[in-house]
Amino acid sequence: GALGERLVRISAGPWTSWFLSRNIGKLWQAGEGLGIELVTAAQRVDIGRRNADIGIRNARPTEQWLAGRQIGKVAYGLYSGRQLINGIAAGLFVGVVGESADTPSARWLQAHHGDRIGVRGNDAMSVRELVASGAGLSVFPCFAADSDPRLSRVAPIITELTSEQWLVTHHEGRHTREVRIVADRIAALMRENAALFRGDMRIP
């Protein structure tokens, strides 16, 4: 980095990146000699080619040059906006298009409610805004939607969508001091918030 820092690149899906951003103070402090770069990607980022130092994934890494540790579980639920207006009142859903349509939650929504989707968005944040604005119901990870006072969970957790959360590093790179520090801080942050990620915490 420009400040003579060791840059640590973290690749994660849109919701995990959003969560890390909200908690950046737990991962990074100015003046420590390290910089953080968040690489948000719906698809897997190649850690082998060092496009990232740390990846957060929903499964154990299969590549032999990667080390992984499970840092929690992620639950998903069906959410509505607070005002039962427009598409929500009509029992419609908000779908996902583009790269993000290939996620398990988007495939579940398409399989179960595909014929009732009125509006679609191609990125996670847009879909959340659409649901908050009453365009319809949609599936979100509980840690993201339970943190948003504009959304309410309308059904039990969708157990078949519960996934693991893995912190993945390159076998060689993980011993780098800065990478190890950031990886340990991410693991600690996820442990602290385990109940939120499991869908146990209801935010009033």
Side-chain angles (χ1 to χ4, degrees):
L3 304 166
E5 298 173 326
R6 166 65 160 92
L7 196 61
V8 179
R9 304 186 81 193
I10 306 165
S11 94
W15 289 122
T16 307
S17 286
W18 165 83
F19 187 79
L20 296 177
S21 303
R22 279 192 86 182
N23 290 281
I24 192 64
K26 297 259 173 84
L27 307 181
W28 170 88
Q29 297 290 328
E32 285 185 317
L34 67 88
I36 282 186
E37 202 173 292
L38 284 173
V39 185
T40 303
Q43 306 304 326
R44 231 169 231 207
V45 168
D46 190 347
I47 298 168
R49 293 219 184 85
R50 304 303 173 88
N51 295 336
D53 297 295
I54 297 170
I56 298 172
R57 295 184 177 176
N58 60 5
R60 179 195 291 275
T62 49
E63 306 89 331
Q64 71 268 20
W65 57 86
L66 298 183
R69 54 176 144 155
Q70 196 186 334
I71 52 171
K73 282 201 172 347
V74 181
Y76 288 75
L78 201 54
Y79 289 83
S80 147
R82 294 269 175 205
Q83 273 79 42
L84 301 181
I85 51 168
N86 202 349
I88 288 175
L92 296 181
F93 291 80
V94 176
V96 185
V97 287
E99 265 208 336
S100 313
D102 197 31
T103 59
S105 56
R107 286 198 299 268
W108 182 93
L109 190 64
Q110 185 59 43
H112 290 80
H113 304 289
D115 56 336
R116 301 201 50 77
I117 293 173
V119 182
R120 294 172 193 269
N122 80 330
D123 75 302
M125 304 302 146
S126 304
V127 173
R128 176 170 60 180
E129 293 311 307
L130 287 164
V131 174
S133 305
L137 306 154
S138 202
V139 177
F140 296 106
C142 297
F143 75 86
D146 288 343
S147 303
D148 190 329
R150 303 170 304 162
L151 303 177
S152 35
R153 206 191 293 171
V154 296
I157 282 170
I158 305 160
T159 47
E160 70 215 71
L161 285 180
T162 298
S163 63
E164 296 177 344
Q165 189 172 52
W166 286 78
L167 191 131
V168 179
T169 45
H170 198 281
H171 265 302
E172 291 156 28
R174 72 191 161 128
H175 301 300
T176 312
R177 181 183 151 264
E178 293 83 359
V179 173
R180 200 177 59 236
I181 288 170
V182 176
D184 288 345
R185 287 174 184 173
I186 292 172
L189 175 67
M190 296 313 190
R191 269 199 307 276
E192 251 170 71
N193 289 279
L196 180 66
F197 278 78
R198 276 198 315 267
D200 286 353
M201 282 181 60
R202 300 302 293 128
I203 296 348

